Amino acid sequence: MQEVQVGNSRYIRDLNLTGIFRLIQKYGPISRKELAENTGYSAATITNHVKRLMDEGFVIETNKGSSTGGRRPVYLTVNPDQGYILAVDIEVNQIRILLFDLNLKIKEKLELAIGGRTAEEVLLVLVDQIKSFCQQNNIKADKIIGVGVVLPGLVDNKNGYLHFAPNLKWRDIDIKGFFEKKLGYKIVVENEAKAAVLGEKELVFPDVENMVYVSINEGIGCGIIFNGNLYRGASGNAGEFGHIIIDSNGPECHCGNYGCWETLASTKYISSRYFAETGRLLAYSDLSRQELDSDKIFQEIVKETARNIAIGLVNIINSLSPDVLVIGGNILTLEKYIMGDIEEVLAEKALSVLKQKVELACSKLGNKAALYGIARMVFDINIEEEIIGRIN
Ligand SMILES: [Zn+2]
């Protein structure tokens, strides 16, 4: 009986300890007094827990701004170098790796080209690159809290398993198992757009309860925040708006249907249409080329794509009525060409009662949204075990 009580009290103590750390991470620099006021813990409890966090190097003291008189207040902040998170974004033509410190600030980055390799080759190269990236940046293995991997595809987040990433042409890969075995770190795997909506919510729209992030690249992925939380649905893959059918006579999609939104509104659609009409290849990196400003065919195709993008957005607004609808992904290279047409179609076709309530935005985090989101996810999942493991 007594053992149970001891167990419980340790559990509660650990919970409080990590709870306080999370608050310092989120709101720091913050004073002990502010922590006590905002948590309802006594000053003594805060002092004790903060002391333990400081003894283990997780929290440090800092002076925030100038004192308003009397004793200069001492604020608490996370020691950024007490832990690191690696965030990996596997895109169709490149991989980006960001190193985040414990404050979830970007410390270093690495970009790799991956064209022409099989999934297994890519993953093996990635293992070597992650190892040398950590070495170059002098990051010890025991300081790594976890590695987050995002991919454009159907992901079983619980098991870290990729079902299918059509534009990468990857299928049925145990991403988590592979990296855990080769790297020895804790691995979190997530769909790119789901990670991106978390990143965008956290850093740009912290108070928004209902939002949709539409990631437009070679395909279209979507992430939904519903009542403040990521919405996954029964399968874990809710939000596959890329496969709503907007023209049943349209081109065949890899999912087997015809005229899915992503077959008519992605960057792949623009480049394949451009090739069909001019015989010229248009790489993603070409999209910001100045001479396209005077290329009539290009402008026609982009205009049509913008209107197709808007049709899908109308469906999202009419079905979910989000507070905020964010457009992200490589399509934003064409922001200046597409937004006017998108706004026009939304005004014309979305139900006005719903349209009035939605804010349409372009991603402020650009191609880093998913990386911020997955870093936060890795932090949230692993920080408790990390702190308790190092302190006890
Ligand atoms: Zn489809």
Side-chain angles (χ1 to χ4, degrees), residues 350-369:
L351 294 172
S352 66
V353 174
L354 290 78
K355 169 69 176 67
Q356 279 164 24
K357 294 286 183 186
V358 67
E359 176 189 343
L360 182 69
C362 291
S363 171
K364 300 267 191 313
L365 303 176
N367 62 8
K368 293 195 186 74

Side-chain angles (χ1 to χ4, degrees), residues 72-287:
R72 198 183 168 111
V74 174
Y75 288 85
L76 303 163
T77 188
V78 165
N79 178 3
D81 293 313
Q82 187 62 347
Y84 300 99
I85 291 168
L86 286 158
V88 181
D89 186 358
I90 303 179
E91 297 176 69
V92 172
N93 293 310
Q94 64 165 0
I95 295 180
R96 286 174 303 125
I97 306 175
L98 293 190
L99 177 70
F100 286 85
D101 66 24
L102 202 50
N103 256 329
L104 299 187
K105 298 272 185 298
I106 296 170
K107 207 173 151 71
E108 287 297 335
K109 65 177 176 184
L110 177 68
E111 287 182 9
L112 309 165
I114 59 164
R117 291 189 171 105
T118 65
E120 201 188 348
E121 285 166 352
V122 170
L123 294 178
L124 285 170
V125 167
L126 204 41
V127 167
D128 287 342
Q129 291 289 337
I130 287 174
K131 283 180 182 167
S132 57
F133 183 61
C134 290
Q135 241 167 22
Q136 280 158 18
N137 291 295
N138 218 359
I139 305 297
K140 303 269 179 300
D142 62 356
K143 286 274 171 87
I144 300 211
I145 290 169
V147 179
V149 181
V150 299
L151 301 121
L154 298 175
V155 165
D156 172 354
N157 165 263
K158 258 189 209 149
N159 296 303
Y161 190 87
L162 173 74
H163 293 296
F164 186 34
N167 292 302
L168 284 168
K169 300 189 177 66
W170 291 15
R171 195 184 277 277
D172 298 320
I173 304 174
D174 179 7
I175 304 276
K176 181 176 153 86
F178 178 87
F179 282 122
E180 273 177 356
K181 202 165 140 204
K182 298 278 185 193
L183 290 170
Y185 303 136
K186 291 173 190 153
I187 309 293
V188 179
V189 184
E190 186 53 278
N191 166 274
E192 179 265 338
K194 286 188 176 56
V197 78
L198 282 177
E200 201 78 24
K201 169 164 171 55
E202 163 110 3
L203 291 165
V204 187
F205 299 101
D207 301 323
V208 167
E209 291 284 298
N210 297 296
M211 66 185 274
V212 177
Y213 182 98
V214 180
S215 178
I216 307 179
N217 298 295
E218 297 254 317
I220 299 183
C222 297
I224 304 167
I225 296 287
F226 177 67
N227 288 344
N229 296 308
L230 184 65
Y231 180 70
R232 293 183 185 279
S235 68
N237 285 281
E240 283 297 327
F241 290 112
H243 299 282
I244 49 174
I245 295 165
I246 65 166
D247 176 5
S248 54
N249 296 314
E252 187 175 10
C253 180
H254 58 78
C255 74
N257 291 326
Y258 288 83
C260 291
W261 189 26
E262 72 172 37
T263 66
L264 293 162
S266 58
T267 57
K268 196 164 152 185
Y269 175 70
I270 296 174
S271 47
S272 58
R273 275 287 309 277
Y274 191 76
F275 182 73
E277 298 205 11
T278 65
R280 292 200 296 275
L281 285 170
L282 190 67
Y284 155 66
S285 52
D286 293 334
L287 293 182

